[in-house]
Amino acid sequence: KEGIDCRKLENFSSWYQQVVIKADLIELYDISGCYIFRPWSFAIWEKIVEFFDAEIKKLGVQNAYFPLFVSERRLRTEQEHLEGFAAEVAWVTKSGSSELDEPIAIRPTSETIIYPAMSKWIRSHRDLPLKLNQWSNVVRWEFKHPTPFIRSREFLWQEGHTAYADRSEADHEVLQILELYRRVYEELLAVPVIKGTKSDRERFAGGLYTTTVEAFVPANGRAVQGATSHSLGQNFARMFGIYYEGKDSGEKLMPWQNSWGCTTRTIGVAVMVHGDDRGLVLPPRVAPLQVVIIPIITKSASADVISACEAICSCLQRANLRVKFDDRSEKTPGWKFNEWELRGVPLRIEVGPRDVQAGTATIARRDTMEKWSIRVPNHSISEEEDAFAQEIHQTLVRIQTNLFERASAERNARIRCVSDWGTFMQAIVQRCMALTPWCNLNECEERVRQQSVQDSLAYRERLATETDPSATDAVLSGAVKTLCMPFASELERLGLTNAAEWEAPAPEKQCFACNGPARRWALWGRSY
Ligand SMILES: O=C1CCCN[C@@H]1CCCn1cnc2cc(F)c(F)cc2c1=O
Ligand SMILES: [Mg+2]
């Protein structure tokens, strides 16, 4: 199959649609917004699940499974929380040719399914803390343009739902889970994220506060919400009648609840951040295949080359690396090089006749496209085999680190600290994120959203007249919104050293948009 026929930085959306198909991550499907997860992407999700599931079990979370369906009555338990989402709910109204008496919703999230059960299970303080998680699919009938992995009408996720007697324990868990989400992105997917709190406008309205990890796609200048961890306070306990008997007095108390979710959007973010014009670039930690071995066969020396490849393959398999010997005789080495580069395999080992004579092989890194010669072990000496496997493992670690450092440098270069509207809009039209002193008022955020749309349209017009019309499609569409209010520690981690004022802007600081008193530092950007 042919490679990607456009450049990532020239036509990002076409590049992305081609990569997800040609790297065998997904197959298209005849229902809009729905995609088939082929093994190459499902294996990545499995790595994320394996890591996160093990970590939440260390925190005492138990997995359970709740029904896919929820009655209309039950879904409407929480009116205001639903009203904003009603258009996204998918309903079953028939079975066979007969209408159902009552329409049944397909879960878009499971609060209204889980919390009535929780109110039965939580009676005494001894029933707390209750910590449940569900791995499942959910359906949200989005109307915005679908994007594989990033925005789809069905996606896979985990949703955690916990209840605590002690508020501080609940608050602590919110941040523990957020740290796990950071690790999923930064340690598994090599994608840098920024932790912070959502503004009043962006948070989960049914809860108390929302924390988030925010990613960024330099190639198109858009931020992506990576995963969210909410404190619900006692709001849902009140709504669903979840009470328990206090320890000393028999009084009825409400637990403090959290909910947290991470979805298959993770896969799309990694594709967008690391991919290049040759296709997918996979972080070794989640790569379904870490090393592919390719024989360079000539008439004469084929048997020796094949056995040399097989020996290398079994040596690396014994070292628990995910390795494949591509011995297909009907494909040329060149074809195989392109295929495995397109699919993002981190390392390639080539073995030709001269290598067999010299006891060497050629190794090629997918992230830097560097190629060099290495010594292969004498396969009867186990120390040499161990050393070889160790060397390959070290190289994979270097690739993982390089991907994270490269993505971090690119992301950091796209954060502008600004304190007035002009430089704010300049940052935005230059496809950057903007860190600003902000009043933290809802109506101010609303005005920034509206004004930013107008200003970038005006900017687009000016561009169209002054320069070539094509320059205008460089100006992103869509409103600017707050991505998060970064934790002070995050701003230090970003190397923004004047941390002293990061806890809160100095009192004389004014909001960049309305000049009112600045109370927070806010990170803004265009997002998915
Ligand atoms: O984000 C999470 C983490 C996992 C558990 N749920 C929370 C809040 C989900 C917020 N949300 C998000 N989207 C929704 C879409 C709907 F169609 C709908 F009926 C409800 C919702 C909805 O409540
Ligand atoms: Mg939504």
PDB file of all heavy atoms in Angstrom, residues 75 81-82 85-90 108-111 115 139-141 157-161 204 225 228-230 232 259-262, ligand 1:
ATOM      1  N   LEU A  75     -32.658   8.665  34.124  1.00  0.00           N
ATOM      2  CA  LEU A  75     -31.663   9.568  33.526  1.00  0.00           C
ATOM      3  C   LEU A  75     -31.977  11.009  33.903  1.00  0.00           C
ATOM      4  O   LEU A  75     -31.084  11.826  34.067  1.00  0.00           O
ATOM      5  CB  LEU A  75     -31.657   9.425  32.007  1.00  0.00           C
ATOM      6  CG  LEU A  75     -30.503  10.110  31.277  1.00  0.00           C
ATOM      7  CD1 LEU A  75     -29.168   9.455  31.593  1.00  0.00           C
ATOM      8  CD2 LEU A  75     -30.746  10.104  29.774  1.00  0.00           C
ATOM      9  N   HIS A  81     -28.144  18.920  35.424  1.00  0.00           N
ATOM     10  CA  HIS A  81     -26.916  18.282  34.924  1.00  0.00           C
ATOM     11  C   HIS A  81     -27.190  17.701  33.554  1.00  0.00           C
ATOM     12  O   HIS A  81     -26.330  17.693  32.672  1.00  0.00           O
ATOM     13  CB  HIS A  81     -26.473  17.249  35.965  1.00  0.00           C
ATOM     14  CG  HIS A  81     -25.918  15.982  35.441  1.00  0.00           C
ATOM     15  ND1 HIS A  81     -24.743  15.948  34.734  1.00  0.00           N
ATOM     16  CD2 HIS A  81     -26.347  14.715  35.537  1.00  0.00           C
ATOM     17  CE1 HIS A  81     -24.483  14.687  34.422  1.00  0.00           C
ATOM     18  NE2 HIS A  81     -25.430  13.934  34.894  1.00  0.00           N
ATOM     19  N   LEU A  82     -28.414  17.239  33.304  1.00  0.00           N
ATOM     20  CA  LEU A  82     -28.719  16.591  32.021  1.00  0.00           C
ATOM     21  C   LEU A  82     -29.024  17.612  30.934  1.00  0.00           C
ATOM     22  O   LEU A  82     -28.642  17.439  29.784  1.00  0.00           O
ATOM     23  CB  LEU A  82     -29.904  15.632  32.182  1.00  0.00           C
ATOM     24  CG  LEU A  82     -30.251  14.890  30.883  1.00  0.00           C
ATOM     25  CD1 LEU A  82     -29.107  13.972  30.494  1.00  0.00           C
ATOM     26  CD2 LEU A  82     -31.522  14.103  31.006  1.00  0.00           C
ATOM     27  N   PHE A  85     -26.840  18.251  28.185  1.00  0.00           N
ATOM     28  CA  PHE A  85     -26.367  17.101  27.405  1.00  0.00           C
ATOM     29  C   PHE A  85     -27.472  16.384  26.645  1.00  0.00           C
ATOM     30  O   PHE A  85     -27.207  15.430  25.923  1.00  0.00           O
ATOM     31  CB  PHE A  85     -25.706  16.099  28.344  1.00  0.00           C
ATOM     32  CG  PHE A  85     -24.471  16.593  29.040  1.00  0.00           C
ATOM     33  CD1 PHE A  85     -24.439  16.727  30.415  1.00  0.00           C
ATOM     34  CD2 PHE A  85     -23.337  16.923  28.313  1.00  0.00           C
ATOM     35  CE1 PHE A  85     -23.291  17.169  31.062  1.00  0.00           C
ATOM     36  CE2 PHE A  85     -22.197  17.364  28.953  1.00  0.00           C
ATOM     37  CZ  PHE A  85     -22.173  17.485  30.328  1.00  0.00           C
ATOM     38  N   ALA A  86     -28.720  16.805  26.837  1.00  0.00           N
ATOM     39  CA  ALA A  86     -29.855  16.013  26.336  1.00  0.00           C
ATOM     40  C   ALA A  86     -29.705  15.654  24.853  1.00  0.00           C
ATOM     41  O   ALA A  86     -29.994  14.531  24.452  1.00  0.00           O
ATOM     42  CB  ALA A  86     -31.145  16.786  26.570  1.00  0.00           C
ATOM     43  N   ALA A  87     -29.161  16.569  24.062  1.00  0.00           N
ATOM     44  CA  ALA A  87     -29.095  16.321  22.614  1.00  0.00           C
ATOM     45  C   ALA A  87     -28.149  15.163  22.287  1.00  0.00           C
ATOM     46  O   ALA A  87     -28.243  14.567  21.217  1.00  0.00           O
ATOM     47  CB  ALA A  87     -28.617  17.586  21.911  1.00  0.00           C
ATOM     48  N   GLU A  88     -27.243  14.819  23.228  1.00  0.00           N
ATOM     49  CA  GLU A  88     -26.249  13.783  22.944  1.00  0.00           C
ATOM     50  C   GLU A  88     -26.730  12.393  23.313  1.00  0.00           C
ATOM     51  O   GLU A  88     -26.040  11.410  23.058  1.00  0.00           O
ATOM     52  CB  GLU A  88     -24.979  14.047  23.759  1.00  0.00           C
ATOM     53  CG  GLU A  88     -24.230  15.288  23.373  1.00  0.00           C
ATOM     54  CD  GLU A  88     -22.985  15.462  24.239  1.00  0.00           C
ATOM     55  OE1 GLU A  88     -22.609  14.514  24.969  1.00  0.00           O
ATOM     56  OE2 GLU A  88     -22.389  16.526  24.173  1.00  0.00           O
ATOM     57  N   VAL A  89     -27.887  12.305  23.975  1.00  0.00           N
ATOM     58  CA  VAL A  89     -28.314  10.997  24.470  1.00  0.00           C
ATOM     59  C   VAL A  89     -28.930  10.163  23.349  1.00  0.00           C
ATOM     60  O   VAL A  89     -29.786  10.651  22.607  1.00  0.00           O
ATOM     61  CB  VAL A  89     -29.333  11.166  25.619  1.00  0.00           C
ATOM     62  CG1 VAL A  89     -29.805   9.804  26.123  1.00  0.00           C
ATOM     63  CG2 VAL A  89     -28.724  11.982  26.752  1.00  0.00           C
ATOM     64  N   ALA A  90     -28.455   8.922  23.194  1.00  0.00           N
ATOM     65  CA  ALA A  90     -29.005   7.993  22.192  1.00  0.00           C
ATOM     66  C   ALA A  90     -30.065   7.131  22.866  1.00  0.00           C
ATOM     67  O   ALA A  90     -29.856   6.669  23.981  1.00  0.00           O
ATOM     68  CB  ALA A  90     -27.881   7.118  21.642  1.00  0.00           C
ATOM     69  N   PRO A 108     -24.481   7.457  28.452  1.00  0.00           N
ATOM     70  CA  PRO A 108     -23.466   8.412  28.005  1.00  0.00           C
ATOM     71  C   PRO A 108     -22.404   8.579  29.098  1.00  0.00           C
ATOM     72  O   PRO A 108     -21.321   9.059  28.835  1.00  0.00           O
ATOM     73  CB  PRO A 108     -24.249   9.702  27.829  1.00  0.00           C
ATOM     74  CG  PRO A 108     -25.425   9.575  28.747  1.00  0.00           C
ATOM     75  CD  PRO A 108     -25.666   8.124  29.013  1.00  0.00           C
ATOM     76  N   THR A 109     -22.739   8.196  30.289  1.00  0.00           N
ATOM     77  CA  THR A 109     -21.919   8.150  31.494  1.00  0.00           C
ATOM     78  C   THR A 109     -22.811   7.474  32.522  1.00  0.00           C
ATOM     79  O   THR A 109     -24.001   7.331  32.287  1.00  0.00           O
ATOM     80  CB  THR A 109     -21.480   9.564  31.939  1.00  0.00           C
ATOM     81  OG1 THR A 109     -20.661   9.450  33.101  1.00  0.00           O
ATOM     82  CG2 THR A 109     -22.668  10.452  32.270  1.00  0.00           C
ATOM     83  N   SER A 110     -22.260   6.989  33.642  1.00  0.00           N
ATOM     84  CA  SER A 110     -23.068   6.064  34.431  1.00  0.00           C
ATOM     85  C   SER A 110     -23.515   6.545  35.809  1.00  0.00           C
ATOM     86  O   SER A 110     -24.005   5.742  36.613  1.00  0.00           O
ATOM     87  CB  SER A 110     -22.314   4.738  34.581  1.00  0.00           C
ATOM     88  OG  SER A 110     -22.067   4.188  33.293  1.00  0.00           O
ATOM     89  N   GLU A 111     -23.422   7.848  36.090  1.00  0.00           N
ATOM     90  CA  GLU A 111     -23.838   8.306  37.440  1.00  0.00           C
ATOM     91  C   GLU A 111     -25.254   7.846  37.776  1.00  0.00           C
ATOM     92  O   GLU A 111     -25.500   7.273  38.844  1.00  0.00           O
ATOM     93  CB  GLU A 111     -23.790   9.850  37.518  1.00  0.00           C
ATOM     94  CG  GLU A 111     -22.419  10.443  37.683  1.00  0.00           C
ATOM     95  CD  GLU A 111     -21.636  10.500  36.374  1.00  0.00           C
ATOM     96  OE1 GLU A 111     -22.175  10.068  35.323  1.00  0.00           O
ATOM     97  OE2 GLU A 111     -20.472  10.929  36.402  1.00  0.00           O
ATOM     98  N   TYR A 115     -25.411   5.390  40.997  1.00  0.00           N
ATOM     99  CA  TYR A 115     -25.633   6.002  42.303  1.00  0.00           C
ATOM    100  C   TYR A 115     -26.871   5.501  43.044  1.00  0.00           C
ATOM    101  O   TYR A 115     -26.836   5.354  44.260  1.00  0.00           O
ATOM    102  CB  TYR A 115     -25.579   7.527  42.202  1.00  0.00           C
ATOM    103  CG  TYR A 115     -24.212   8.041  41.782  1.00  0.00           C
ATOM    104  CD1 TYR A 115     -23.994   9.379  41.469  1.00  0.00           C
ATOM    105  CD2 TYR A 115     -23.129   7.190  41.672  1.00  0.00           C
ATOM    106  CE1 TYR A 115     -22.745   9.842  41.080  1.00  0.00           C
ATOM    107  CE2 TYR A 115     -21.886   7.634  41.268  1.00  0.00           C
ATOM    108  CZ  TYR A 115     -21.688   8.956  40.977  1.00  0.00           C
ATOM    109  OH  TYR A 115     -20.447   9.404  40.577  1.00  0.00           O
ATOM    110  N   VAL A 139     -21.857   5.963  24.821  1.00  0.00           N
ATOM    111  CA  VAL A 139     -22.355   6.561  23.575  1.00  0.00           C
ATOM    112  C   VAL A 139     -22.813   7.978  23.823  1.00  0.00           C
ATOM    113  O   VAL A 139     -23.570   8.252  24.742  1.00  0.00           O
ATOM    114  CB  VAL A 139     -23.531   5.728  23.015  1.00  0.00           C
ATOM    115  CG1 VAL A 139     -24.186   6.446  21.836  1.00  0.00           C
ATOM    116  CG2 VAL A 139     -23.051   4.345  22.595  1.00  0.00           C
ATOM    117  N   ARG A 140     -22.272   8.906  23.025  1.00  0.00           N
ATOM    118  CA  ARG A 140     -22.718  10.296  23.069  1.00  0.00           C
ATOM    119  C   ARG A 140     -22.899  10.749  21.623  1.00  0.00           C
ATOM    120  O   ARG A 140     -21.928  10.737  20.860  1.00  0.00           O
ATOM    121  CB  ARG A 140     -21.692  11.180  23.772  1.00  0.00           C
ATOM    122  CG  ARG A 140     -21.494  10.801  25.235  1.00  0.00           C
ATOM    123  CD  ARG A 140     -20.416  11.606  25.912  1.00  0.00           C
ATOM    124  NE  ARG A 140     -20.207  11.144  27.270  1.00  0.00           N
ATOM    125  CZ  ARG A 140     -19.255  11.639  28.083  1.00  0.00           C
ATOM    126  NH1 ARG A 140     -18.433  12.591  27.640  1.00  0.00           N
ATOM    127  NH2 ARG A 140     -19.118  11.178  29.308  1.00  0.00           N
ATOM    128  N   TRP A 141     -24.139  11.096  21.267  1.00  0.00           N
ATOM    129  CA  TRP A 141     -24.399  11.390  19.863  1.00  0.00           C
ATOM    130  C   TRP A 141     -23.960  12.815  19.532  1.00  0.00           C
ATOM    131  O   TRP A 141     -24.764  13.701  19.359  1.00  0.00           O
ATOM    132  CB  TRP A 141     -25.883  11.164  19.528  1.00  0.00           C
ATOM    133  CG  TRP A 141     -26.046  10.542  18.178  1.00  0.00           C
ATOM    134  CD1 TRP A 141     -26.501  11.143  17.037  1.00  0.00           C
ATOM    135  CD2 TRP A 141     -25.716   9.194  17.826  1.00  0.00           C
ATOM    136  NE1 TRP A 141     -26.462  10.265  15.991  1.00  0.00           N
ATOM    137  CE2 TRP A 141     -25.992   9.062  16.441  1.00  0.00           C
ATOM    138  CE3 TRP A 141     -25.202   8.091  18.516  1.00  0.00           C
ATOM    139  CZ2 TRP A 141     -25.775   7.870  15.734  1.00  0.00           C
ATOM    140  CZ3 TRP A 141     -24.996   6.908  17.831  1.00  0.00           C
ATOM    141  CH2 TRP A 141     -25.289   6.802  16.451  1.00  0.00           C
ATOM    142  N   TRP A 157     -13.801   3.616  27.625  1.00  0.00           N
ATOM    143  CA  TRP A 157     -13.201   4.408  28.702  1.00  0.00           C
ATOM    144  C   TRP A 157     -13.213   3.628  30.000  1.00  0.00           C
ATOM    145  O   TRP A 157     -13.614   2.447  30.021  1.00  0.00           O
ATOM    146  CB  TRP A 157     -13.936   5.739  28.876  1.00  0.00           C
ATOM    147  CG  TRP A 157     -15.289   5.695  29.571  1.00  0.00           C
ATOM    148  CD1 TRP A 157     -16.069   4.599  29.815  1.00  0.00           C
ATOM    149  CD2 TRP A 157     -16.011   6.815  30.091  1.00  0.00           C
ATOM    150  NE1 TRP A 157     -17.230   4.977  30.452  1.00  0.00           N
ATOM    151  CE2 TRP A 157     -17.220   6.321  30.635  1.00  0.00           C
ATOM    152  CE3 TRP A 157     -15.769   8.184  30.162  1.00  0.00           C
ATOM    153  CZ2 TRP A 157     -18.178   7.164  31.236  1.00  0.00           C
ATOM    154  CZ3 TRP A 157     -16.722   9.013  30.761  1.00  0.00           C
ATOM    155  CH2 TRP A 157     -17.902   8.503  31.280  1.00  0.00           C
ATOM    156  N   GLN A 158     -12.671   4.240  31.036  1.00  0.00           N
ATOM    157  CA  GLN A 158     -12.968   3.757  32.372  1.00  0.00           C
ATOM    158  C   GLN A 158     -13.659   4.928  33.089  1.00  0.00           C
ATOM    159  O   GLN A 158     -13.331   6.087  32.820  1.00  0.00           O
ATOM    160  CB  GLN A 158     -11.707   3.319  33.137  1.00  0.00           C
ATOM    161  CG  GLN A 158     -10.579   4.272  33.247  1.00  0.00           C
ATOM    162  CD  GLN A 158     -10.869   5.490  34.133  1.00  0.00           C
ATOM    163  OE1 GLN A 158     -10.448   6.579  33.819  1.00  0.00           O
ATOM    164  NE2 GLN A 158     -11.632   5.347  35.237  1.00  0.00           N
ATOM    165  N   GLU A 159     -14.620   4.595  33.945  1.00  0.00           N
ATOM    166  CA  GLU A 159     -15.205   5.634  34.793  1.00  0.00           C
ATOM    167  C   GLU A 159     -15.126   5.155  36.248  1.00  0.00           C
ATOM    168  O   GLU A 159     -15.623   4.083  36.586  1.00  0.00           O
ATOM    169  CB  GLU A 159     -16.636   5.963  34.397  1.00  0.00           C
ATOM    170  CG  GLU A 159     -17.585   4.796  34.219  1.00  0.00           C
ATOM    171  CD  GLU A 159     -18.999   5.242  33.850  1.00  0.00           C
ATOM    172  OE1 GLU A 159     -19.565   6.127  34.550  1.00  0.00           O
ATOM    173  OE2 GLU A 159     -19.536   4.707  32.875  1.00  0.00           O
ATOM    174  N   GLY A 160     -14.438   5.957  37.064  1.00  0.00           N
ATOM    175  CA  GLY A 160     -14.304   5.631  38.479  1.00  0.00           C
ATOM    176  C   GLY A 160     -15.343   6.398  39.263  1.00  0.00           C
ATOM    177  O   GLY A 160     -15.625   7.559  38.952  1.00  0.00           O
ATOM    178  N   HIS A 161     -15.951   5.750  40.273  1.00  0.00           N
ATOM    179  CA  HIS A 161     -16.952   6.403  41.121  1.00  0.00           C
ATOM    180  C   HIS A 161     -16.694   6.010  42.562  1.00  0.00           C
ATOM    181  O   HIS A 161     -16.749   4.821  42.887  1.00  0.00           O
ATOM    182  CB  HIS A 161     -18.360   5.971  40.692  1.00  0.00           C
ATOM    183  CG  HIS A 161     -18.722   6.379  39.291  1.00  0.00           C
ATOM    184  ND1 HIS A 161     -19.276   7.608  39.000  1.00  0.00           N
ATOM    185  CD2 HIS A 161     -18.576   5.741  38.109  1.00  0.00           C
ATOM    186  CE1 HIS A 161     -19.491   7.696  37.688  1.00  0.00           C
ATOM    187  NE2 HIS A 161     -19.061   6.582  37.123  1.00  0.00           N
ATOM    188  N   PHE A 204     -17.399  20.176  35.298  1.00  0.00           N
ATOM    189  CA  PHE A 204     -18.583  19.304  35.285  1.00  0.00           C
ATOM    190  C   PHE A 204     -19.617  19.970  36.197  1.00  0.00           C
ATOM    191  O   PHE A 204     -19.419  20.028  37.413  1.00  0.00           O
ATOM    192  CB  PHE A 204     -18.199  17.925  35.801  1.00  0.00           C
ATOM    193  CG  PHE A 204     -19.354  16.972  36.002  1.00  0.00           C
ATOM    194  CD1 PHE A 204     -20.514  17.055  35.244  1.00  0.00           C
ATOM    195  CD2 PHE A 204     -19.275  15.976  36.953  1.00  0.00           C
ATOM    196  CE1 PHE A 204     -21.566  16.175  35.436  1.00  0.00           C
ATOM    197  CE2 PHE A 204     -20.308  15.074  37.157  1.00  0.00           C
ATOM    198  CZ  PHE A 204     -21.464  15.177  36.395  1.00  0.00           C
ATOM    199  N   GLN A 225      -8.298  18.056  25.840  1.00  0.00           N
ATOM    200  CA  GLN A 225      -8.532  17.607  27.220  1.00  0.00           C
ATOM    201  C   GLN A 225      -8.197  16.122  27.298  1.00  0.00           C
ATOM    202  O   GLN A 225      -8.775  15.322  26.564  1.00  0.00           O
ATOM    203  CB  GLN A 225      -9.998  17.831  27.606  1.00  0.00           C
ATOM    204  CG  GLN A 225     -10.348  17.360  29.003  1.00  0.00           C
ATOM    205  CD  GLN A 225     -11.795  17.650  29.363  1.00  0.00           C
ATOM    206  OE1 GLN A 225     -12.193  18.820  29.455  1.00  0.00           O
ATOM    207  NE2 GLN A 225     -12.579  16.595  29.525  1.00  0.00           N
ATOM    208  N   THR A 228     -10.189  13.626  32.981  1.00  0.00           N
ATOM    209  CA  THR A 228     -10.682  14.508  34.047  1.00  0.00           C
ATOM    210  C   THR A 228     -10.937  13.743  35.331  1.00  0.00           C
ATOM    211  O   THR A 228     -11.332  12.572  35.304  1.00  0.00           O
ATOM    212  CB  THR A 228     -12.008  15.170  33.632  1.00  0.00           C
ATOM    213  OG1 THR A 228     -12.886  14.158  33.137  1.00  0.00           O
ATOM    214  CG2 THR A 228     -11.801  16.231  32.591  1.00  0.00           C
ATOM    215  N   SER A 229     -10.690  14.405  36.445  1.00  0.00           N
ATOM    216  CA  SER A 229     -10.924  13.824  37.763  1.00  0.00           C
ATOM    217  C   SER A 229     -11.730  14.847  38.565  1.00  0.00           C
ATOM    218  O   SER A 229     -11.227  15.937  38.873  1.00  0.00           O
ATOM    219  CB  SER A 229      -9.589  13.544  38.457  1.00  0.00           C
ATOM    220  OG  SER A 229      -9.791  12.982  39.735  1.00  0.00           O
ATOM    221  N   HIS A 230     -12.985  14.504  38.864  1.00  0.00           N
ATOM    222  CA  HIS A 230     -13.896  15.468  39.488  1.00  0.00           C
ATOM    223  C   HIS A 230     -14.115  15.195  40.966  1.00  0.00           C
ATOM    224  O   HIS A 230     -14.272  14.028  41.366  1.00  0.00           O
ATOM    225  CB  HIS A 230     -15.292  15.381  38.844  1.00  0.00           C
ATOM    226  CG  HIS A 230     -15.312  15.362  37.371  1.00  0.00           C
ATOM    227  ND1 HIS A 230     -15.220  16.497  36.586  1.00  0.00           N
ATOM    228  CD2 HIS A 230     -15.425  14.326  36.505  1.00  0.00           C
ATOM    229  CE1 HIS A 230     -15.276  16.157  35.315  1.00  0.00           C
ATOM    230  NE2 HIS A 230     -15.393  14.861  35.229  1.00  0.00           N
ATOM    231  N   LEU A 232     -17.156  15.594  43.397  1.00  0.00           N
ATOM    232  CA  LEU A 232     -18.594  15.842  43.248  1.00  0.00           C
ATOM    233  C   LEU A 232     -19.160  16.487  44.501  1.00  0.00           C
ATOM    234  O   LEU A 232     -20.347  16.837  44.553  1.00  0.00           O
ATOM    235  CB  LEU A 232     -19.325  14.515  42.973  1.00  0.00           C
ATOM    236  CG  LEU A 232     -18.807  13.691  41.790  1.00  0.00           C
ATOM    237  CD1 LEU A 232     -19.631  12.424  41.636  1.00  0.00           C
ATOM    238  CD2 LEU A 232     -18.831  14.505  40.514  1.00  0.00           C
ATOM    239  N   SER A 259     -15.643  11.365  40.796  1.00  0.00           N
ATOM    240  CA  SER A 259     -15.739  10.519  39.602  1.00  0.00           C
ATOM    241  C   SER A 259     -14.637  10.941  38.645  1.00  0.00           C
ATOM    242  O   SER A 259     -14.249  12.112  38.621  1.00  0.00           O
ATOM    243  CB  SER A 259     -17.111  10.634  38.952  1.00  0.00           C
ATOM    244  OG  SER A 259     -17.212  11.792  38.171  1.00  0.00           O
ATOM    245  N   TRP A 260     -14.109   9.963  37.924  1.00  0.00           N
ATOM    246  CA  TRP A 260     -12.940  10.235  37.084  1.00  0.00           C
ATOM    247  C   TRP A 260     -12.955   9.328  35.857  1.00  0.00           C
ATOM    248  O   TRP A 260     -13.358   8.184  35.903  1.00  0.00           O
ATOM    249  CB  TRP A 260     -11.640  10.046  37.866  1.00  0.00           C
ATOM    250  CG  TRP A 260     -11.677   9.152  39.064  1.00  0.00           C
ATOM    251  CD1 TRP A 260     -12.026   9.506  40.354  1.00  0.00           C
ATOM    252  CD2 TRP A 260     -11.356   7.747  39.120  1.00  0.00           C
ATOM    253  NE1 TRP A 260     -11.935   8.411  41.199  1.00  0.00           N
ATOM    254  CE2 TRP A 260     -11.526   7.331  40.460  1.00  0.00           C
ATOM    255  CE3 TRP A 260     -10.930   6.821  38.168  1.00  0.00           C
ATOM    256  CZ2 TRP A 260     -11.285   6.002  40.883  1.00  0.00           C
ATOM    257  CZ3 TRP A 260     -10.691   5.523  38.577  1.00  0.00           C
ATOM    258  CH2 TRP A 260     -10.864   5.121  39.934  1.00  0.00           C
ATOM    259  N   GLY A 261     -12.514   9.892  34.699  1.00  0.00           N
ATOM    260  CA  GLY A 261     -12.602   9.145  33.451  1.00  0.00           C
ATOM    261  C   GLY A 261     -11.459   9.425  32.506  1.00  0.00           C
ATOM    262  O   GLY A 261     -10.928  10.533  32.483  1.00  0.00           O
ATOM    263  N   CYS A 262     -11.094   8.384  31.750  1.00  0.00           N
ATOM    264  CA  CYS A 262     -10.048   8.471  30.719  1.00  0.00           C
ATOM    265  C   CYS A 262     -10.499   7.587  29.567  1.00  0.00           C
ATOM    266  O   CYS A 262     -11.011   6.493  29.785  1.00  0.00           O
ATOM    267  CB  CYS A 262      -8.724   7.972  31.296  1.00  0.00           C
ATOM    268  SG  CYS A 262      -7.362   8.046  30.123  1.00  0.00           S
TER     269      CYS A 262
HETATM  270  O1  LIG B   1     -16.298  13.001  33.145  1.00  0.00           O
HETATM  271  C1  LIG B   1     -16.633  12.154  33.957  1.00  0.00           C
HETATM  272  C2  LIG B   1     -15.740  11.047  34.375  1.00  0.00           C
HETATM  273  C3  LIG B   1     -16.431   9.747  34.403  1.00  0.00           C
HETATM  274  C4  LIG B   1     -17.813   9.805  35.006  1.00  0.00           C
HETATM  275  N1  LIG B   1     -18.609  10.951  34.536  1.00  0.00           N
HETATM  276  C5  LIG B   1     -17.938  12.219  34.684  1.00  0.00           C
HETATM  277  C6  LIG B   1     -18.820  13.415  34.239  1.00  0.00           C
HETATM  278  C7  LIG B   1     -19.430  13.231  32.876  1.00  0.00           C
HETATM  279  C8  LIG B   1     -20.042  14.561  32.406  1.00  0.00           C
HETATM  280  N2  LIG B   1     -20.945  14.290  31.271  1.00  0.00           N
HETATM  281  C9  LIG B   1     -20.430  14.357  30.004  1.00  0.00           C
HETATM  282  N3  LIG B   1     -21.169  14.092  28.929  1.00  0.00           N
HETATM  283  C10 LIG B   1     -22.496  13.735  29.078  1.00  0.00           C
HETATM  284  C11 LIG B   1     -23.277  13.443  27.938  1.00  0.00           C
HETATM  285  C12 LIG B   1     -24.596  13.080  28.102  1.00  0.00           C
HETATM  286  F1  LIG B   1     -25.362  12.779  27.034  1.00  0.00           F
HETATM  287  C13 LIG B   1     -25.171  12.995  29.378  1.00  0.00           C
HETATM  288  F2  LIG B   1     -26.468  12.588  29.488  1.00  0.00           F
HETATM  289  C14 LIG B   1     -24.426  13.269  30.513  1.00  0.00           C
HETATM  290  C15 LIG B   1     -23.082  13.656  30.357  1.00  0.00           C
HETATM  291  C16 LIG B   1     -22.241  13.950  31.512  1.00  0.00           C
HETATM  292  O2  LIG B   1     -22.662  13.892  32.658  1.00  0.00           O
END
